[in-house]
Amino acid sequence: MARGAGALSRGAGLAGAALVLAMLALPLAAILRAAGGGVRPGPADLSALWFTLEQASLSAVLSVALAVPVARALARRRFAGRRLFITLTGAPFLLPVAVAVMGLLAVFGARGWLNAAAGTLGLGPWRIYGLHGVVLAHVFFNLPLAVRILLQGWQAIPAERFRLAATLGLPPGQVFRLLEGPMLRQAVPGALAAIFAICLGSFSVALILGGGPAATTLELAIYQAFLFDSDLGRAAVLALMQAGLVAGAAVLSLWLTRMDGSGSGLDRASQRRDAPGGWRRGADALWLVLAGLFVVLPLVALVLKGLPGLADLPARTWPAVGNSLVVSLGCAALTVTLAGALSAPMARWAEGVGLMPLALSSLVLGTGIFLILNPVMPPARAALPVTLLVNVLMALPFCLRVLAPAWARAEADHGRLADQLGLRGLSRLRWLILPRIRGPLGFAAGIAAALSMGDLGVITLFGTEDRETLPLLMYRLMGAYRTEAAWGAALVLLGLSFGIFWVFDRMGGRDA
Amino acid sequence: MKHLALATGCLLATQAVAETPVLNVYTYESFTSEWGPGPQIEAGFEAQCGCDVVFTGVGDGAALLSRVRLEGARSEADVVVGLDTALMARARATGLFAPTEASAEYDLPIPWEDPDFVPFDWGYFAFVGEAGAEHPTSFEALAASDLSIVIQDPRSSTPGLGLLMWVKAAYGDRASEIWEGLADNILTVTPGWSEAYGLFLDGEADLVLSYTTSPAYHIIAEGDDSKVALPFEEGHYMQVEIAGRLAASDQPELAEQFLQYLLGAEAQGVLPETNWMYPVVLPEGGLAEGFQQIVTPDKALLLEAGEADALREEALAEWRAALAR
């Protein structure tokens, strides 16, 4: 794969990787230095470790397993509103966690729609709180991500292959064995690792839906060590444990992932006329309806809850919207640039480094940066830039997952042609890469912008004088008994996150 | 030349600002929000001090203390408002706080004598539920009932820690047993107060751990008297919110004046209907009507700060063991 990765690409990759590693290592080093070394984890920390592993593994496996039939249905069926369906089902991933949990509870909670419906049939009541609730919420958040990753895999199989298979009259089982199976073997480990890593960092979801201290995650233990015990040594050791788990998952997934075996095609949009009919059509429809309802109902609940609160929104909502937009757009631009730099060398090491931010929580990063800034300037003055920086790091792994394969594919499919034309450096980027990664690029920018928009992140850690973001405003409204207005703010946030994602995704144009 | 002009401009601007002394006050988020007491207290003190008060909001009380510790002697903060009795021993142990002379004739249910910190408001922890239902009147009755409750995690929230201390103060060695009894009533545990209160308002649980003063908010701000706090026979654990000034402050006199202002009639009058807690000095005309309607416990419980801090580890372990099953 070294072909096409010229000196410029390698340079960009190295610079990007160095930047990311520095931004991760320095904060952690600052914490260890301030702590004067680590502390051995206690038994409570170890049980937190086990619960964290348990819930993250279950969540990852279930999300990906459910994503396979949904992504396949999306890949081989064409229907009115398919595009909208794909965009809408992406929404949970972009939502602020606290908001999404409330949406889930409106559907699955003790007084939720599901229990109300079950009650009229004489069933239930079902209790959402417990390990199953945590996993349910994580699947809600990550199913769309898994579907998108797998759908990209399906769409990367050249349409000619499917047509050939159809011409030869291959049954669906054979199509799976020859075309879909190899693609899944390549895409699934990456999806599993990404979702596993995301779920490792779960804190509010695990606690609220987990039902009590049995559902203590490492992230909560880190939070407690930092904020309640001011025990930096223990926090640093816990953060290292968490980082070790993520690194392990990343290495495992890179090891399991085979290189692209689907070969090159003619660069045409997949027009599948070969999809199997009969009961498989019905099964595909059922999967789509179920996944759609699962993802969309909580969103509908959020909209219904938010509408009455819109009238109560304070005047300062609009400056907060402005601040959030600035952070969000800045995050999108920076993250996509960084992800591009790491995609350019098309090397495993660059991708591996790009996934590393998943390993450190924003709390750890924020505290580390705080300790670095404190001797130089009052950290509160840097609240927005630091929020931006942390958001970029947090969004990078997702953007990279989307961008890197598309980049490598563009090179693999057309690199030889570009070499013959002598396309190099920036003109290669302009004429070869960018037109072919437009879709993933728009999607990646959308993810970064929306994730950043909804993130409360480190801004509360740094404290603010008067610059507030929309999530912070929502948090303040909730803290001041203004629950209804807080729901209004959540609805605005939902609309903005989703809107900005939609705009970027649309700018990317066709395909996933 | 341009750079020099720019630099000089900046320098002059800084000097112009420096003529008005700045008092930096760190507090928790909800204190400084538009609906909290922060804006009115800032305006009130600025009107008399000839200074600029800058509030910085940081998470909750625990996050606030952690922040002050992290910043250490380099902290810009002159005053910290919003720690509480559960955090007091640890705050004192940092050695970052300076003694204060500020004081008042406190209307607290307990005597207050402390060299470093002044109390500025207080409340009783209580379970809040819907009015009209038959409610339990003790932890034991609650544990025997099939009511569902939402509480906050004592490892991440001050009310959560308050409940831990409440059970410990009321039951001592029997605390474990009480928690085991409550285990099947606890629907879930949230990271902070707002998530728990939100779940309760959504109807997810019958009761939520909050304050006896919570219903006053609903009565006064929303004209809604459907929420009530449950009086418990064991008595109610108190949360006294405190303020102190930092030894490293470059405005020690202003800081001292601010603490005194916080105890004065003007600031005390602002607190009840913005922070929804009791003032430490009752206003001359008494509290608003909504505060008269709410439950007032017969017995106040509060562990001495050092004792509470010493018991924390043990109480936390009991809590975790009883609920982790």
Side-chain angles (χ1 to χ4, degrees):
Chain A
M1 287 309 291
R3 178 172 47 77
L8 190 67
S9 303
R10 262 195 304 277
L14 279 174
L19 195 66
V20 172
L21 285 180
M23 287 193 295
L24 295 175
L26 289 177
L28 199 57
I31 295 170
L32 276 170
R33 189 172 152 263
V39 176
R40 275 169 66 93
D45 296 331
L46 291 180
S47 67
L49 173 69
W50 285 122
F51 179 75
T52 305
L53 279 174
E54 188 184 13
Q55 57 86 6
S57 315
L58 277 173
S59 304
V61 168
L62 216 61
S63 298
V64 176
L66 290 174
V68 171
V70 177
R72 176 158 68 174
L74 277 173
R76 66 187 183 189
R77 306 289 167 194
R78 291 293 174 273
F79 52 91
R82 175 179 173 274
R83 178 79 211 225
L84 183 71
F85 180 94
I86 296 176
T87 313
L88 254 184
T89 51
F93 186 67
L94 310 170
L95 280 182
V97 173
V99 174
V101 169
M102 294 300 164
L104 275 175
L105 286 176
V107 177
F108 298 100
R111 319 253 153 109
W113 297 347
L114 185 69
N115 270 324
T120 58
L121 299 174
L123 299 167
W126 289 304
R127 231 178 98 96
I128 189 180
Y129 304 93
L131 178 63
H132 59 285
V134 178
V135 173
L136 178 91
H138 285 160
V139 172
F140 172 72
F141 282 115
N142 296 307
L143 178 65
L145 179 72
V147 167
R148 278 306 267 262
I149 293 176
L150 297 186
L151 184 58
Q152 280 204 341
W154 249 289
Q155 282 170 341
I157 302 176
E160 294 86 5
R161 297 280 171 114
F162 284 110
R163 217 165 303 139
L164 188 62
T167 316
L168 293 173
L170 290 183
Q174 285 298 315
V175 174
F176 183 84
R177 195 177 70 80
L178 293 171
L179 294 178
E180 296 171 324
M183 180 281 294
L184 284 176
R185 230 178 0 256
Q186 193 195 323
V188 162
L192 279 176
I195 295 171
F196 177 78
I198 298 169
C199 297
L200 282 184
S202 176
F203 158 37
S204 308
V205 173
L207 192 60
I208 297 178
L209 294 176
T216 297
T217 56
L218 278 180
E219 185 74 11
L220 174 67
I222 295 176
Y223 183 95
Q224 180 197 0
F226 269 133
L227 296 185
F228 241 60
D229 303 335
S230 300
D231 186 348
L232 294 182
R234 191 164 145 255
V237 168
L238 290 167
L240 282 174
M241 280 163 68
Q242 202 178 22
L245 288 181
V246 175
V251 167
L252 198 66
S253 97
L254 286 177
W255 182 61
L256 285 172
T257 309
R258 309 262 169 90
M259 267 323 288
D260 194 351
S262 61
S264 51
L266 293 176
D267 197 22
R268 287 191 197 131
S270 296
Q271 279 298 333
R272 300 277 303 273
R273 300 186 195 289
D274 54 286
W279 65 270
R280 289 193 175 82
R281 178 185 297 275
D284 281 355
L286 187 66
W287 276 113
L288 290 178
V289 168
L290 286 179
L293 283 178
F294 176 52
V295 170
V296 171
L297 281 181
L299 300 180
V300 172
L302 285 176
V303 172
L304 294 179
K305 279 171 79 87
L307 285 174
L310 287 181
D312 300 338
L313 283 177
R316 59 202 279 180
T317 306
W318 309 116
V321 164
N323 282 333
S324 284
L325 273 175
V326 168
V327 170
S328 158
L329 293 175
C331 177
L334 289 174
T335 313
V336 164
T337 311
L338 198 53
L342 288 171
S343 298
M346 292 180 294
R348 288 294 170 86
W349 57 263
E351 278 189 59
V353 168
L355 294 183
M356 282 312 289
L358 280 178
L360 285 188
S361 65
S362 54
L363 183 64
V364 175
L365 281 175
T367 307
I369 296 172
F370 184 98
L371 288 168
I372 294 171
L373 285 180
N374 190 37
V376 190
M377 64 182 289
R381 303 224 177 112
L384 280 189
V386 172
T387 304
L388 178 62
L389 176 71
V390 173
N391 284 345
V392 167
L393 283 173
M394 293 291 132
L396 180 66
F398 307 112
C399 293
L400 193 62
R401 269 246 93 86
V402 175
L403 221 49
W407 191 302
R409 206 154 50 235
E411 278 287 356
D413 289 356
H414 306 280
R416 207 168 301 160
L417 200 65
D419 285 345
Q420 284 167 6
L421 288 171
L423 266 183
R424 274 195 199 90
L426 289 178
S427 40
R428 191 183 184 96
L429 179 69
R430 167 72 185 84
W431 297 107
L432 170 67
I433 306 294
L434 284 183
R436 268 153 206 91
I437 62 165
R438 252 186 79 180
L441 196 66
F443 180 54
I447 288 185
L451 280 180
S452 168
M453 177 81 73
D455 184 48
L456 180 59
V458 294
I459 201 163
T460 53
L461 181 73
F462 275 68
T464 46
E465 285 156 21
D466 42 15
R467 284 177 296 268
E468 66 187 352
T469 58
L470 198 52
L472 182 60
L473 177 76
M474 189 185 84
Y475 173 79
R476 285 178 166 168
L477 283 165
M478 278 185 87
Y481 287 95
R482 263 86 182 161
T483 317
E484 190 139 292
W487 286 118
L491 180 55
V492 174
L493 189 54
L494 173 66
L496 268 180
S497 294
F498 191 62
I500 202 164
F501 171 74
W502 188 79
V503 167
F504 273 118
D505 200 27
R506 270 290 143 124
M507 274 162 49
R510 67 188 173 98
D511 281 359
Chain B
M1 272 316 285
K2 216 187 215 168
H3 292 296
L4 190 64
L6 198 68
T8 322
C10 287
L11 203 65
L12 288 176
T14 325
Q15 275 166 352
V17 171
E19 280 167 19
T20 324
V22 175
L23 184 74
N24 281 299
V25 181
Y26 282 13
T27 183
Y28 50 78
E29 275 295 343
S30 59
F31 193 92
T32 176
S33 84
E34 183 179 342
W35 312 275
Q40 289 182 62
I41 287 179
E42 179 179 339
F45 188 61
E46 279 177 352
Q48 66 175 62
C49 72
C51 68
D52 183 17
V53 177
V54 178
F55 272 106
T56 299
V58 184
D60 67 351
L64 183 59
L65 175 59
S66 157
R67 166 67 176 268
V68 173
R69 275 174 85 144
L70 280 183
E71 289 190 353
R74 295 195 63 90
S75 181
E76 274 208 320
D78 301 299
V79 176
V80 176
V81 174
L83 305 175
D84 71 358
T85 28
L87 300 168
M88 198 160 93
R90 274 180 285 160
R92 201 192 318 278
T94 63
L96 295 168
F97 289 88
T100 174
E101 299 287 317
S103 68
E105 288 288 316
Y106 299 122
D107 297 305
L108 282 165
I110 47 147
W112 186 272
E113 234 8 279
D114 193 273
D116 301 326
F117 298 102
V118 294
F120 65 91
D121 68 13
W122 65 281
Y124 293 109
F125 292 112
F127 286 97
V128 172
E130 298 288 336
E134 186 74 19
H135 284 305
T137 54
S138 71
F139 278 108
E140 284 176 311
L142 175 59
S145 76
D146 54 6
L147 293 171
S148 59
I149 59 179
V150 191
I151 61 170
Q152 300 83 1
D153 197 307
R155 297 167 295 178
S156 60
S157 123
T158 37
L161 185 57
L163 177 62
L164 205 63
M165 291 300 147
W166 184 3
V167 173
K168 200 74 193 162
Y171 287 95
D173 293 341
R174 283 188 58 216
S176 247
E177 190 188 316
I178 296 295
W179 280 116
E180 273 161 33
L182 287 174
D184 61 346
N185 298 91
I186 296 172
L187 183 75
T188 195
V189 180
T190 65
W193 177 88
S194 21
E195 293 95 344
Y197 210 77
L199 285 179
F200 163 69
L201 290 181
D202 274 355
E204 277 293 297
D206 300 310
L207 303 171
V208 62
L209 177 71
S210 191
Y211 299 90
T212 56
T213 42
S214 297
Y217 166 79
H218 297 284
I219 295 168
I220 294 170
E222 297 179 336
D224 169 14
D225 57 5
S226 69
K227 308 283 182 288
V228 291
L230 281 51
F232 270 21
E233 289 155 5
E234 298 93 334
H236 287 247
Y237 200 73
M238 288 174 67
Q239 180 181 34
V240 183
E241 296 202 283
I242 57 173
R245 66 185 181 92
L246 291 169
S249 161
D250 56 355
Q251 300 289 349
E253 276 161 34
L254 269 181
E256 195 68 12
Q257 284 168 31
F258 182 82
L259 290 179
Q260 194 58 56
Y261 175 80
L262 206 53
L263 302 176
E266 206 172 280
Q268 288 292 308
V270 168
L271 285 161
E273 286 171 52
T274 49
N275 227 20
W276 304 101
M277 297 284 269
Y278 288 112
V280 291
V281 180
L282 284 172
E284 285 200 10
L287 290 166
E289 170 63 20
F291 277 87
Q292 316 295 333
Q293 294 179 33
I294 62 175
V295 162
T296 31
D298 301 325
K299 189 176 164 197
L301 301 173
L302 183 66
L303 294 168
E304 186 271 318
E307 191 188 354
D309 199 46
L311 281 172
R312 194 171 62 107
E313 278 300 315
E314 179 198 329
L316 207 50
E318 285 171 0
W319 176 83
R320 201 160 40 206
L323 298 194
R325 304 248 170 89

